[in-house]
Amino acid sequence: MERVKKEKNELWEWSKALLIAFGIAAIIRFFLFTPIVVDGESMMPTLKNGDRMVVNKIGYMVGEPHRFDIVVFHAPEQKNYIKRVIGLPGDTVEYKNDQLYINGKPIAEPYLDQYKSEITEGTLTGDFTLQETAAQVDKIPEGYIFVMGDNRLYSKDSRLIGLVAIDEIIGNTNLVFWPFKEIGFVK
């Protein structure tokens, strides 16, 4: 009799431990961090198609996006996009002769150096101003950001989809956890 009672007690303890573990995992997954798979080549060479990353969901609950953060957000087509923050609220954004200008000042983009060195004709990023993009504004309004993929020739970003509401950002990411040879932080 005592043995049966001990087995039931042990089974109950294991069940509680598993329920607590699943509960903690669910809280972490839904509120703190979540995995994402890079789909497409719009962030190459920084991120490759199939890279698996960890999205930090709490970063923007307590802070604001920073220029050049890599963010995941809800895109208009009911899909999540991963892009780089280029323009912040109050900024003007312009590209001229493959050079980024924020508020009229040239800004370096070292993460594009590899692609720019491979271009034999033309430019990596075509000339534009905010007014000439889907955003159709002179300055980025409060509550919005301007994003672009690193693979500028093949990226569906704010030039085509418009500004991204900060409320639509799921989180930022900079940690690749798969494939194994790519594990690490990206810039």
Side-chain angles (χ1 to χ4, degrees):
M1 183 73 167
E2 178 135 343
R3 183 174 172 214
V4 172
K5 191 174 182 181
K6 184 177 180 185
E7 286 177 5
K8 282 185 180 179
N9 193 25
E10 190 172 314
L11 180 62
W12 172 244
E13 291 301 319
W14 273 103
S15 298
K16 282 194 316 189
L18 286 173
L19 283 173
I20 291 169
F22 284 126
I24 290 171
I27 288 169
I28 289 170
R29 168 77 164 76
F30 291 108
F31 297 109
L32 304 177
F33 302 98
T34 191
I36 190 168
V37 178
V38 176
D39 182 19
E41 299 179 346
S42 72
M43 284 298 292
M44 285 189 63
T46 308
L47 303 173
K48 295 166 190 66
N49 185 44
D51 281 355
R52 285 162 172 69
M53 304 187 73
V54 175
V55 178
N56 175 356
K57 291 181 162 185
I58 58 175
Y60 298 144
M61 289 180 193
V62 295
E64 295 290 318
H66 296 94
R67 190 173 333 281
F68 305 135
D69 282 357
I70 298 174
V71 296
V72 178
F73 61 93
H74 300 298
E77 308 85 40
Q78 307 300 26
K79 194 175 176 189
N80 293 335
Y81 279 11
I82 184 167
K83 304 290 178 193
R84 190 178 296 273
V85 176
I86 300 299
L88 299 169
D91 284 347
T92 62
V93 177
E94 180 180 11
Y95 244 96
K96 195 170 17 176
N97 299 322
D98 225 8
Q99 173 64 56
L100 170 64
Y101 293 88
I102 301 287
N103 302 321
K105 296 179 181 148
I107 303 293
E109 295 179 284
Y111 49 88
L112 295 180
D113 290 346
Q114 177 183 344
Y115 256 161
K116 284 184 177 183
S117 69
E118 295 171 2
I119 301 256
T120 56
E121 262 184 57
T123 59
L124 178 62
T125 309
D127 293 356
F128 71 85
T129 64
L130 278 176
Q131 192 64 252
E132 298 166 338
T133 67
Q136 298 182 334
V137 295
D138 293 325
K139 275 188 177 183
I140 300 170
E142 283 301 316
Y144 291 88
I145 58 172
F146 187 89
V147 297
M148 293 177 75
D150 290 356
N151 188 354
R152 302 289 167 78
L153 297 172
Y154 304 101
S155 178
K156 190 173 186 180
D157 50 38
S158 284
R159 295 171 292 174
L160 298 172
I161 65 171
L163 300 174
V164 175
I166 291 175
D167 293 349
E168 294 295 319
I169 298 175
I170 297 166
N172 66 322
T173 182
N174 63 357
L175 176 63
V176 174
F177 70 87
W178 190 261
F180 189 72
K181 64 182 174 143
E182 300 288 329
I183 289 176
F185 292 98
V186 294
K187 296 177 182 171

